Amino acid sequence: MTADPAQIWPEDFARRYRDRGWWKGETFGQMLDRLAAAHGPRPALVAGEVRLTYAGLADAARRIATGFRALGLNPGDRVLVQMPNRAEFLTGVLGLFYAGLVPVYALPAHRETEVLHLAAKSGARAYLAADRHEGFDYRPLAARVLALPGVAHAVIAGEGAGGLTPFATLADAAPMAAPEPRDPGGVAFLQISGGSTGLPKLIPRTHDDYIYSFAASAGICGLTPDSVMLIALPAAHNFPMSSPGFFGALSAGACVVLAPNPTPDTCFRLIEAERVTITGLVPPLALLWLQAAPRGKYDLSSLQVLQVGGAKFMAEAAARVRPVLGCTLQQVFGMAEGLVNYTRLDDPEDIIVNTQGRPISPDDEVLVLDDDGNPVAEGAPGNLYARGPYTIRAYHDEPAANARSFTPDGFYRTGDIVRRLPGGYLEVRGRAGDHINRAGEKISAEEVEDHILAHPDVFDAAVVALPDPVLGERSCAFVVPRAGADPTAPAIKAFVRARGIAEFKVPDRVIFVPDFETTAVGKISRKALRAALRDRYTAPEPGQKEPQA
Ligand code: OOB
């Protein structure tokens, strides 16, 4: 039996966040009704051929809510959602909220290993996916999810449901008359963490905390009913969902345009056609757009703000945004666990180019501490800790990770190394945790090592981040073969891929080494080993040959 997700702030904190007006006591279902009443005939969503007004979006969600409940799902049940950027992402998720169900977000790139883990860990009772996306057929995967104990339904959007429940039949139901009553302080959905250990962990977010974070973000980003937001990144990520993302755009009465992929060709066409005013990208995509924009095939003059976040955006590239795209850059440094920082639109160019912004809320508490837990001098690098009205206090059902990731007084250990500058602006300097930030996608070194270690020819493996001029970082697996075995790099990659994991986790490089030199003391920690391998590789001795993949 899986525990129900909970997210508990101590009562004195909860009271303060309510008293200060951050937590408004509204659920997602109530929010949808309020937005439909306020903006009924205005455009809410453009996705491929689909165009919906606020009234139309709410009507679709209310029907889908009835449809889900008619399947026999009950308020509080979890539903795993693995949906690309198509209309059913929004109508489906809003429908789930309206019905009192709890979405659990997987990324479209996830494969069997991650999807089965997320379904089991969350105690999902249903799975919602598209038929196909980017050449992958999700229906056989849906059948595997359906075979898990407790999962009763697999709902498929698109052409053919392949014997599973067609999304279209849910959408045919009569609209639910009112949102299912839920506790606004209770868990609204589960988001996945890009953390550094093991399989993805589940992040419980409440109605109160999440609605506050994206509504406040919409204010910081100057969104109004005249704004048009392009969602170019996969919508299940926290950044395009809530910083301010599509939820923030809807909370401001703006129009959301979903891009099926983030390429300049697709997105520039949409920016011109829909007169997009704001969008958000990870740094490698921003570089690609900066390269493509001067060719001048499309009119990008409507674009006012380009947000960049998810990984460090180098100052040299940041400085080119205004001259090349003619819009304001906004740096966004956030995490699905909570804390999000923005440069403000009216900040001096120097701050916009050289910092990753400052927190959303006056009640965000940010500490920068040395490795012994003491505050560092102002402006010196240290470990970032965060606590506040939209930063979680615990992961779902992860006692060991919770003990590591949170201090006894409720601060989240972000694993990021930052400098705090005057005005509370943060500059991200690096990371203490062992994940690889590959173009904004976070890869746990430990998770990939576990897959490689399952190979019969492998004695030991360590996965590290290597710098990459385009991706920011790429993953490199150092592998010690078993005595007498002679595995090849393609064989290791194919083996890892065949384990059914997201393609972005397959190591970019595999380097074989005869052993992992350990210190004279004997065994060193995995963390120290990874650091030593990374250093040895990135700073080779003069004359030393580069190891070959
Ligand atoms: C966002 O969320 P996650 O959960 O995928 O990843 C969080 C981690 C941060 O702890 C940090 O290591 C890194 O991603 N990161 C950045 C960054 N933004 C995120 N590192 C350097 N510079 C930045 N601007 O990635 C996320 C969530 C909400 C909004 C934006 C990004």
Side-chain angles (χ1 to χ4, degrees), residues 290 293-294 316-329 349 353:
L290 284 170
E316 307 77 61
R320 287 169 47 217
V321 169
R322 192 186 293 280
V324 173
L325 289 169
C327 66
T328 302
L329 167 67
E349 196 69 7
V353 167

Side-chain angles (χ1 to χ4, degrees), residues 389-455:
Y390 60 96
T391 297
I392 59 164
R393 296 290 187 128
Y395 292 107
H396 169 58
D397 194 20
E398 299 279 355
N402 286 340
R404 272 196 314 272
S405 304
F406 298 88
T407 67
D409 49 0
F411 278 87
Y412 169 55
R413 297 179 209 267
T414 68
D416 292 316
I417 297 171
V418 304
R419 259 167 23 98
R420 186 167 36 199
L421 306 168
Y425 285 84
L426 301 177
E427 182 201 350
V428 181
R429 298 297 298 262
R431 191 176 55 244
D434 265 332
H435 69 241
I436 296 112
N437 188 336
R438 187 183 189 278
E441 297 289 6
K442 315 307 181 305
I443 305 166
S444 149
E446 187 183 300
E447 181 185 349
V448 180
E449 285 166 5
D450 284 346
H451 287 298
I452 299 173
L453 285 169
H455 192 291

Side-chain angles (χ1 to χ4, degrees), residues 194 237-239 243 308-313 332-337 340 356 414 416 428 431 435 437 440 442:
H237 275 288
N238 200 58
F239 178 17
S243 305
V308 180
K312 177 82 177 251
F313 195 34
V332 188
F333 162 43
M335 52 211 73
E337 284 81 356
V340 182
Q356 279 64 58
T414 68
D416 292 316
V428 181
R431 191 176 55 244
H435 69 241
N437 188 336
K442 315 307 181 305

Side-chain angles (χ1 to χ4, degrees), residues 56-315:
L57 179 62
D59 181 65
R62 291 171 187 141
R63 290 176 190 278
I64 290 157
T66 306
F68 273 115
R69 292 289 291 277
L71 293 176
L73 298 172
N74 299 314
D77 282 349
R78 271 80 73 194
V79 177
L80 184 62
V81 178
Q82 188 178 28
M83 205 44 113
N85 289 7
R86 48 191 291 166
E88 293 92 337
F89 192 117
L90 259 76
T91 57
V93 163
L94 289 168
L96 291 173
F97 284 136
Y98 211 80
L101 298 163
V102 177
V104 182
Y105 298 115
L107 299 174
H110 283 152
R111 294 295 177 257
E112 191 172 314
T113 300
E114 293 102 346
V115 170
L116 294 180
H117 167 74
L118 293 170
K121 188 82 195 173
S122 63
R125 292 212 53 221
Y127 172 64
L128 169 59
D131 52 354
R132 309 179 61 84
H133 176 63
E134 303 262 322
F136 184 76
D137 190 338
Y138 291 81
R139 289 163 291 192
L141 176 54
R144 295 294 309 272
V145 178
L146 201 48
L148 287 176
V151 181
H153 303 280
V155 179
I156 301 293
E159 293 292 295
L164 303 162
T165 309
F167 186 86
T169 60
L170 304 190
D172 279 347
M176 203 165 142
E180 177 69 29
R182 300 292 290 167
D183 172 8
V187 172
F189 65 90
L190 295 166
Q191 178 63 280
I192 57 163
S193 105
S196 48
T197 53
L199 283 159
K201 294 185 284 295
L202 290 168
I203 296 172
R205 301 289 302 253
T206 66
H207 300 266
D208 268 338
D209 94 73
Y210 210 62
I211 292 176
Y212 167 53
S213 80
F214 62 70
S217 296
I220 289 170
C221 298
L223 298 186
T224 72
D226 293 329
S227 304
V228 180
M229 168 166 292
L230 181 73
I231 302 297
L233 297 172
H237 275 288
N238 200 58
F239 178 17
M241 187 178 290
S242 69
S243 305
F246 60 84
F247 278 134
L250 293 177
S251 77
C255 179
V256 173
V257 179
L258 295 183
N261 65 64
T263 59
D265 212 39
T266 301
C267 290
F268 289 2
R269 199 190 310 264
L270 284 168
I271 291 172
E272 177 179 289
E274 306 298 335
R275 305 299 293 159
V276 168
T277 61
I278 177 169
T279 190
L281 298 176
V282 290
L285 285 171
L287 294 176
L288 202 64
W289 284 34
L290 284 170
Q291 214 171 50
R295 288 188 220 125
K297 233 168 91 190
Y298 296 99
D299 175 9
L300 306 180
S301 62
S302 59
L303 196 63
Q304 295 165 7
V305 179
L306 176 69
Q307 302 183 288
V308 180
K312 177 82 177 251
F313 195 34
M314 291 301 173

